[in-house]
Amino acid sequence: MSNYHIKHLEEYYQVYRKSVRNPEVFWEEVAEEHFLWRKRWNNVLQWDFSKPEIKWFEGAELNITENCIDRHLNTRGDKTAIIFEPNNPDEETQHISYRELHDRVCRFANVLKEKGIGKGDRVCIYLPMIPELAISVLACARIGAIHSVVFAGFSSTALATRINDSECKMVITSDGSYRGAKTIDLKSIVDEALEDCSSIESVLVAKRINSDIKMKEGRDYWLQPLLDEAYHDCDPEVMDAEDPLFILYTSGSTGKPKGMVHSSGGYMVYTAYTFKNVFQYREDDVYWCTADIGWITGHSYIVYGPLLNGATTLMFEGVPSYPDFGRFWEIVDKHQVNQFYTAPTAIRALAKEGMDHVEKYDLSSLKVLGTVGEPINEEAWHWYDDNIGKKKAPIVDTWWQTETGGIMISPIPFATPTKPTYATLPFIGIQPALMDENGEEIKGNQVDGRLCIKYPWPSMARTIWGDHQRYKDTYFSAFENMYFTGDGALRDEVGYYRITGRVDDVVIVSGHNLGTAPIEDAINEHPAVSESAIVGFPHDIKGNALYGYVILKETGESRNHDNLRKEINQLITEQIGPIAKLDKIQFTKGLPKTRSGKIMRRILRKIASKDTSNLGDTSTLLNPEVVQDIMDNVL
Ligand code: WTA
């Protein structure tokens, strides 16, 4: 992409005004300037939020991997595309050049084809943060297969649900993974999941931990011998701009995860453009995002956004605490990282460990710092600013979602003055609105409301896989002609936005979205449990932790509560994954309910947060007496 960046606030406002005055002209210029299209579009944008139907660059043809890789071969063939930093610092770092990436993606793509994968087929990728993860994502995109990456911390049940929902034909996994001092047997999790997945025809297995695993004859194949045999070039499949590029699941407020479907053309344009401007990437910079590619942040800002810009993107396999809490800073020093993008939960965890781990390393290469995934508290913001950026590297607090595909509200470094805890101003082309409970837009500043977006942007998800009605109900029905984000926000006196948190039944724990419903479903499967309700409560490191209120069946026999707590968390680990475990479990006789039988989570949230000063009127509840009982026994 050309080297032009927005340089000061006035310029931001100028570009912003232009982008919202005539979005089609604006995005058409961006699309024309920066990308390789096989065929030009007929229309820049067609949209109708009432259906909802959104089409960007309709009629255009492209392949995103040609834009991520082939296009750079002449000018950047020997430049490092991916730096792979292994879990164990004693293992050697890998540098994968654009040329090598081309070769490896093409070979992988040919293996996929040989195993019967074609355009439109769904491929589930369940891999740790090793190069094969990025390469398999790109290999799918190369041949037009739709990748569905499932975070490798999810359990076999969660994996099976996702495979079945989109009827994947193949799983790509590894024998296992390293996480700090631990190893995890990924393949056995896959084997367990596949007991219930009839659509899967084959499993490709990358070797990572050299463990002795079971391979099922006729279904499971070691990856490396196939890659060794594969041809090193593969013509990119020509895709329509609106053809799906990938599915990525996110939690909702009901039990079933939502498979958000992202497009090829619009997603490409928006992730590339936001990456360039939000991180102010320059040609020789080294960029590092610490997310996992299993989440949207990794899709858009480890793989696609950086590679579309011909950047060097670092992939880290490990965890911030191994071999010690200096690991992140050691990597920054070792690779002279220029842009560093992480989550508030990681910042809080590292801040707690003190400065010894930071001071050992040279962090002077850092130019831009980023955060994403949850609101960042003031203390963490200042720690990051003072100790990591040394007050010289602006912090971009980027607000966005799996559904939005790319960054939506964020400062532009060196142009937008930052303000702790504020994501600040809408990105170019983004038109936020704050809505009140009656569905009216709240105009002016110093107001708060529900955050919506008024106008389409290129990388918005187009549907939920297999359930367009749910897409409409979740995002386009709360407010007429608006995309509803599920978040609350306030706008300060100068128009800066601060995200105040979810207004639905999603809790963000360590930056991971967790729907309360699937966790409750898991708990309710315990034979001793009759009903449960989960809420979030503030936690120093994780941002939020989970608090469970559990009603036990009246069987007359008494059970050891600590054992029950362990069993419940075990069930949650099996059904969803360890990230969804509860910090506190309170056994209770009842749950506060409205007369229509809806659990009043607001009250439960307040009690769990020890904020009972303003519980509101509880007298209209079906069972007001349980409130006092719950308060008396709060943990
Ligand atoms: C929250 C992650 C405050 C928000 C890219 C959103 C944030 C949800 C921020 C999406 C931020 C994300 N400040 N809250 N900078 N970024 N969130 O789908 O509640 O994993 O709706 O996408 O995370 O999480 P998701």
Side-chain angles (χ1 to χ4, degrees), residues 24 27-32 37 39-46 55-62 240-242 265-267 269-270 458 462:
E24 296 179 39
W27 288 113
E28 177 156 55
E29 279 175 16
V30 174
E32 269 167 355
W37 301 90
K39 185 170 160 252
R40 207 188 147 82
W41 44 90
N42 306 321
N43 299 296
V44 179
L45 171 66
Q46 287 166 296
K55 288 184 181 168
W56 282 92
F57 311 112
E58 185 263 321
E61 291 178 353
L62 75 147
D240 282 343
E242 280 298 320
Y267 178 82
V269 169
Y270 195 77
R462 302 295 195 260

Side-chain angles (χ1 to χ4, degrees), residues 239-469:
M239 307 293 286
D240 282 343
E242 280 298 320
D243 278 341
L245 174 63
F246 65 87
I247 302 170
L248 186 60
Y249 286 88
T250 188
S251 311
S253 32
T254 67
K256 213 175 151 206
K258 298 176 289 197
M260 305 312 306
V261 180
H262 280 284
S263 72
S264 300
Y267 178 82
M268 170 175 81
V269 169
Y270 195 77
T271 53
Y273 190 71
T274 46
F275 174 79
K276 183 176 124 108
N277 283 289
V278 172
F279 297 104
Q280 299 275 315
Y281 184 85
R282 313 269 154 167
E283 186 62 38
D284 295 318
D285 288 347
V286 173
Y287 161 89
W288 179 21
C289 165
T290 70
D292 191 291
I293 294 174
W295 310 113
I296 191 69
T297 306
H299 280 61
S300 301
Y301 299 111
I302 295 178
V303 182
Y304 288 114
L307 297 179
L308 285 163
N309 282 276
T312 298
T313 175
L314 193 149
M315 260 182 93
F316 175 45
E317 181 185 29
V319 293
S321 55
Y322 179 82
D324 61 43
F325 282 95
R327 184 70 162 125
F328 273 9
W329 318 127
E330 187 233 334
I331 296 174
V332 168
D333 185 350
K334 178 172 175 189
H335 298 288
Q336 291 290 292
V337 170
N338 303 109
Q339 292 88 2
F340 177 74
Y341 191 26
T342 195
T345 185
I347 298 168
R348 288 189 294 264
L350 293 171
K352 202 172 89 218
E353 298 303 319
M355 286 303 293
D356 289 355
H357 295 295
V358 181
E359 280 160 0
K360 272 198 258 172
Y361 301 103
D362 169 23
L363 305 181
S364 62
S365 57
L366 291 170
K367 295 193 285 193
V368 176
L369 301 176
T371 76
V372 60
E374 57 186 308
I376 180 164
N377 50 310
E378 188 127 10
E379 204 183 338
W381 195 97
H382 284 296
W383 186 86
Y384 201 28
D385 188 39
D386 293 347
N387 301 305
I388 306 305
K390 322 278 185 207
K391 286 194 162 33
K392 287 200 296 267
I395 296 177
V396 291
D397 176 353
T398 63
W399 172 83
W400 57 296
Q401 309 179 294
T402 305
E403 296 85 339
T404 69
I407 292 167
M408 301 289 281
I409 302 183
S410 166
I412 307 278
F414 310 106
T416 317
T418 56
K419 177 174 177 182
T421 77
Y422 282 73
T424 75
L425 296 169
F427 188 74
I428 316 294
I430 301 304
Q431 303 186 38
L434 295 178
M435 306 297 290
D436 70 17
E437 272 160 28
N438 306 319
E440 297 296 324
E441 183 172 353
I442 310 167
K443 304 261 170 128
N445 287 343
Q446 287 191 298
V447 292
D448 66 272
R450 286 160 189 244
L451 180 62
C452 290
I453 313 290
K454 284 188 206 181
Y455 199 87
W457 62 100
S459 67
M460 63 191 299
R462 302 295 195 260
T463 189
I464 292 176
W465 184 265
D467 199 348
H468 197 67
Q469 186 62 39

Side-chain angles (χ1 to χ4, degrees), residues 151-190:
F151 172 60
F154 275 124
S155 71
S156 59
T157 315
L159 175 62
T161 308
R162 285 156 179 77
I163 290 172
N164 289 332
D165 182 71
S166 46
E167 295 168 294
C168 296
K169 270 173 85 170
M170 174 190 270
V171 184
I172 303 170
T173 188
S174 65
D175 54 351
S177 67
Y178 294 119
R179 268 188 84 71
K182 282 193 278 192
T183 54
I184 297 157
D185 294 324
L186 283 193
K187 176 62 165 53
S188 60
I189 300 175
V190 172

